[in-house]
Amino acid sequence: MTPSAHEQTTSGYQRRLPTLFLIWIALSAISPHPDLFKAWFHLALGLPVLFFFSMGRLRIDTGDQLLRLCAGFLLYVTASSLIVSQADGGQHLHAVRWSFETSLLIMVLFAALPALLPRPLFLGRFILGSVALGGLSALLIFGVFNGFSGRLYGIGALYQPIEGVSVLIMYLCIGAFLFWHQRLTLTGKDIALLLLALLITCACTLLSGSRGPTLALALAVAYCFVVSAIAYRHWKILSLAIACLVLALAGVLWLYGIEEFIQFMAERGTSYRLLLWTAHLEHPPESLLFGHGAATDLEQTAAGLKIYSESGLGTAQPHNLFLGTFVQTGLIGLGTLMALLGLVLSGIYQANTSRIAKLYLLGIFGTVIMLVTTNTYTLIISVKTMWLYTWLPLILVWLWCRQTHPRDES
């Protein structure tokens, strides 16, 4: 039978979906405006995936455990907020929209990544290339327009210092793992790209003045060095990587001076993190089970009012995923989040892959946890940079673990 025009269109979109997804990744690093990154997601990915899936023309494994748990999490957050929150209609619509957009992201990841993961070398090159281009553009902007003064930021989805370097760090971790998986087929250019991405990410992270991402990057790199040294003893590669780290640090210290750089990193104090965390813990939601509700304006809660009175801050976001999830969705929401993370950990443990591969996958997972401990406060939100260092690595690790990769044993 000759396929219908509609089937041909759907089949064509399924084939093009990985390419459209990679364009979105590239736009996250080098698009001239963050709205382009957001518009591309909706017009080229989210809405078409929803349309074709609802017509039964797009292949997504709806029986996947993680997918079902994510769906349950989204439904709970939306329903509990409508019941618990005393917010007005506009705020409820915002909360519903955030859940809807997050559901689109999850569908896109489950639809696009399975076609890309069987090509780890290509995907690794693309992601590390995006790191290099995004980081270089940020350094260029920082030097030309800011005279290496203040905090570094990039373009596209990297427009905010903390968020931007968090994405670069996560892309570096993913790209490095994909290259490690294909280590027997890497060329000299691949090694150079990896070292360049490492050098640029370290420089951008230091120049951003963001202590949380800096610590996360330092611990992630140290973890990989320890695993690599014990497992393979590739001293030449490790020496080159250490040289890149030293070069990045030396360059930053040359720009600022040692004392000036220490002062630059310390002048923001704790960035009100301790005040935010303490206020929310001292003034928890009335409903410990259900929280304030995702639609509630946290600035109007008892904790938010205390934060404003003591610091004048215009935001009461907890800047901690676990505390933020508890505040908004209560113990039930926090328990669901922990179940989601636990399922990914279980996937790593049960994966049909080598022990060393599992250690590296655990490193990606640990980097996510480090980044969300001092930054984002929720996984359910509209198109944000945060998606790229939370949902993307978690679902990528999960899908990778559900595939068979015999080359790990080489």
Side-chain angles (χ1 to χ4, degrees):
M1 294 179 62
T2 303
S4 65
H6 183 75
E7 290 174 337
Q8 291 177 345
T9 301
T10 304
S11 177
Y13 181 78
Q14 183 102 41
R15 292 194 303 270
R16 292 179 176 85
L17 179 57
T19 301
L20 297 174
F21 178 80
L22 290 177
I23 292 174
W24 186 58
I25 294 297
L27 289 176
S28 71
I30 59 174
S31 67
H33 196 279
D35 285 345
L36 179 57
F37 162 79
K38 298 176 182 179
W40 184 266
F41 173 80
H42 285 300
L43 298 178
L45 296 171
L47 295 179
V49 164
L50 177 63
F51 172 76
F52 288 122
F53 178 74
S54 63
M55 297 293 292
R57 305 289 186 176
L58 191 66
R59 293 188 297 273
I60 296 179
D61 182 10
T62 56
D64 185 277
Q65 288 178 284
L66 186 64
L67 179 60
R68 291 189 172 188
L69 184 55
C70 290
F73 188 33
L74 289 164
L75 288 173
Y76 164 75
V77 171
T78 304
S80 64
S81 182
L82 291 171
I83 296 171
V84 174
S85 177
Q86 301 300 316
D88 59 34
Q91 290 173 308
H92 279 298
L93 285 177
H94 277 297
V96 171
R97 178 170 64 85
W98 294 334
S99 293
F100 174 70
E101 292 188 31
T102 305
S103 68
L104 291 182
L105 169 70
I106 294 171
M107 292 177 64
V108 167
L109 293 175
F110 272 94
L113 288 177
L116 290 168
L117 293 182
R119 304 172 63 190
L121 184 57
F122 167 76
L123 183 59
R125 287 170 175 168
F126 190 92
I127 291 177
L128 291 177
S130 297
V131 172
L133 291 175
L136 285 174
S137 65
L139 291 171
L140 181 63
I141 292 172
F142 190 55
V144 174
F145 296 101
N146 296 80
F148 294 104
S149 176
R151 301 179 66 191
L152 176 140
Y153 60 89
I155 56 177
L158 312 182
Y159 63 91
Q160 204 269 353
I162 299 177
E163 298 274 333
V165 296
S166 295
V167 174
L168 291 180
I169 291 169
M170 188 50 59
Y171 283 0
L172 175 66
C173 291
I174 294 173
F177 169 74
L178 294 173
F179 267 22
W180 170 83
H181 181 264
Q182 296 294 110
R183 58 195 176 279
L184 299 181
T185 59
L186 294 181
T187 65
K189 293 181 180 179
D190 293 326
I191 300 298
L193 175 60
L194 175 60
L195 295 175
L196 177 64
L198 175 63
L199 174 65
I200 291 173
T201 301
C202 291
C204 289
T205 303
L206 291 171
L207 291 172
S208 73
S210 304
R211 281 76 52 86
T214 299
L215 180 60
L217 177 61
L219 292 176
V221 170
Y223 177 84
C224 288
F225 279 1
V226 170
V227 174
S228 297
I230 294 175
Y232 296 105
R233 297 182 175 84
H234 289 166
W235 303 119
K236 183 177 180 180
I237 298 297
L238 290 175
S239 300
L240 289 173
I242 292 173
C244 288
L245 296 176
V246 172
L247 181 60
L249 180 59
V252 172
L253 293 179
W254 176 76
L255 282 174
Y256 287 90
I258 297 177
E259 293 184 2
E260 290 79 1
F261 180 70
I262 294 175
Q263 182 180 358
F264 169 66
M265 294 293 285
E267 64 183 4
R268 291 166 48 243
T270 61
S271 300
Y272 299 102
R273 293 295 194 274
L274 294 179
L275 172 61
L276 292 168
W277 298 341
T278 301
H280 284 291
L281 289 173
E282 290 180 346
H283 301 278
E286 291 184 8
S287 173
L288 295 180
L289 284 178
F290 300 103
H292 290 302
T296 299
D297 185 356
L298 295 180
E299 283 71 43
Q300 301 305 313
T301 63
L305 294 174
K306 176 184 178 181
I307 292 167
Y308 180 78
S309 65
E310 294 188 6
S311 66
L313 279 178
T315 178
Q317 296 178 5
H319 288 77
N320 178 285
L321 177 61
F322 305 101
L323 181 56
T325 301
F326 165 67
V327 168
Q328 285 198 315
T329 62
L331 293 174
I332 296 177
L334 180 60
T336 307
L337 172 64
M338 298 305 293
L340 191 154
L341 297 175
L343 187 59
V344 176
L345 275 177
S346 174
I348 295 174
Y349 177 76
Q350 298 177 9
N352 182 23
T353 187
S354 68
R355 180 173 59 88
I356 302 302
K358 292 179 181 180
L359 290 175
Y360 282 125
L361 290 169
L362 188 61
I364 296 176
F365 178 88
T367 305
V368 174
I369 299 302
M370 288 189 288
L371 291 174
V372 301
T373 299
T374 58
N375 193 8
T376 189
Y377 72 103
T378 178
L379 287 179
I380 300 178
I381 202 165
S382 60
V383 184
K384 295 290 184 181
T385 306
M386 176 274 297
W387 284 3
L388 302 173
Y389 62 86
T390 55
W391 286 114
L392 172 61
L394 289 175
I395 293 179
L396 183 146
V397 167
W398 170 259
L399 293 175
W400 180 276
C401 291
R402 291 179 62 83
Q403 298 184 13
T404 301
H405 300 280
R407 292 188 185 182
D408 288 343
E409 307 298 341
S410 301

